[in-house]
Amino acid sequence: MNRRTVLRTAGVVATVGLSGCVEALQEHYEGSFQGVVPVDIYSEADRPYDLTLEAFDPETDRQTYDESYTITAGQRATPPHLDATEQRLRVTKIDREQRDRQVTKRATITQNTSSVVIRLTDDDLRLEVEGDDEERRPNDGDASTNESATDTSE
């Protein structure tokens, strides 16, 4: 066997071996890769508020995400990304002076969710979830609640 034949044979064997590794990795990780969902917070308020972000697995109710921030007037924050998996997101705005919960909003995060935008105002909290197969939609209506530590809502 001459040198050219040996090199050609070694190249074919290496290519076949690498191809097998790639196929094995693809089979092993098929459907296992999960994306991330960026989260952006914008304050349009005139004063600071505390904000908590929590997410829970819908099947086990295990907490999957827990972040807390103090957001000052006009500030923008970018918390760690959420996993693009099925989970329930709960965002609560807390008045720093009165220490009571003002507004809680809820949304569902899925593998198709591409971003979450939270907008704070002095009067409200807006939670917008954008997905790959849908336009940006606010999660208000039935998904939101006004809560107070002393439950003074009427």
Side-chain angles (χ1 to χ4, degrees):
M1 211 186 281
N2 65 27
R3 185 173 181 207
R4 180 177 281 161
T5 305
V6 169
L7 290 176
R8 192 175 316 143
T9 304
V12 169
V13 170
T15 302
V16 169
L18 182 58
S19 174
C21 289
V22 170
E23 288 174 5
L25 284 172
Q26 284 176 332
E27 288 174 14
H28 179 69
Y29 287 107
E30 186 80 24
S32 296
F33 288 117
Q34 63 185 24
V36 294
V37 178
V39 179
D40 288 307
I41 302 169
Y42 299 96
S43 174
E44 300 167 1
D46 293 327
R47 57 193 185 99
Y49 290 93
D50 289 337
L51 192 68
T52 61
L53 292 79
E54 301 168 294
F56 300 89
D57 181 297
E59 293 180 14
T60 64
D61 208 33
R62 182 182 64 85
Q63 191 168 28
T64 57
Y65 189 84
D66 185 17
E67 296 289 325
S68 296
Y69 296 90
T70 297
I71 307 296
T72 59
Q75 181 182 8
R76 176 178 184 245
T78 306
H81 298 317
L82 287 160
D83 290 333
T85 59
E86 186 78 25
Q87 53 188 325
R88 294 183 328 266
L89 175 64
R90 179 175 63 202
V91 180
T92 303
K93 178 180 111 176
I94 302 168
D95 187 306
R96 291 181 54 87
E97 295 171 6
Q98 298 177 7
R99 300 304 308 162
D100 64 346
R101 287 188 215 154
Q102 285 199 334
V103 180
T104 297
K105 300 281 175 121
R106 293 175 173 82
T108 300
I109 305 301
T110 68
Q111 63 186 9
N112 296 324
T113 303
S114 59
S115 70
V116 173
V117 176
I118 301 164
R119 296 188 190 279
L120 282 140
T121 65
D122 288 315
D123 299 326
D124 200 10
L125 164 71
R126 291 185 309 225
L127 177 58
E128 301 170 353
V129 177
E130 185 175 332
D132 292 337
D133 56 347
E134 54 198 49
E135 294 180 22
R136 179 170 289 193
R137 67 189 192 290
N139 275 287
D140 296 321
D142 294 335
S144 67
T145 59
N146 290 322
E147 297 179 355
S148 170
T150 57
D151 198 18
T152 59
S153 60
E154 294 183 36

